[in-house]
Amino acid sequence: MMGVMQNISVDSFPRQGDYLYKRAKVCFNYDTSETINGTIIRDDREHPFLTLIRLDNGRIILSSECQHTVPE
């Protein structure tokens, strides 16, 4: 899928939220008995509103593919 976002270019990116670079605890399919830690590497506060998490095993996932929390 290709698209055009007016706020994304070679030298600009969507405004980022407070969780950028915070550690996150992630699970899949609501199975909290198995979790993996990661770091939020994108936390859009404006369109296209994406959140990306780099898991400690190196995989990068969308927040829509998992459930996650940012421990205080």
Side-chain angles (χ1 to χ4, degrees):
M1 175 168 82
M2 293 180 145
V4 174
M5 296 288 158
Q6 297 302 320
N7 59 342
I8 299 176
S9 69
V10 171
D11 58 0
S12 68
F13 211 63
R15 194 168 37 109
Q16 296 297 290
D18 296 334
Y19 292 136
L20 186 63
Y21 304 124
K22 300 276 182 172
R23 297 289 291 163
K25 188 174 187 179
V26 176
C27 72
F28 297 92
N29 302 311
Y30 301 98
D31 181 4
T32 58
S33 68
E34 254 189 277
T35 62
I36 185 169
N37 292 320
T39 302
I40 295 176
I41 59 170
R42 181 169 169 175
D43 183 31
D44 295 354
R45 274 197 174 174
E46 56 188 21
H47 199 70
F49 299 105
L50 290 177
T51 298
L52 298 176
I53 304 168
R54 179 183 296 121
L55 301 177
D56 287 353
N57 65 10
R59 292 177 15 201
I60 296 175
I61 59 171
L62 293 164
S63 63
S64 59
E65 299 174 316
C66 67
Q67 296 75 51
H68 71 282
T69 184
V70 178
E72 296 295 321

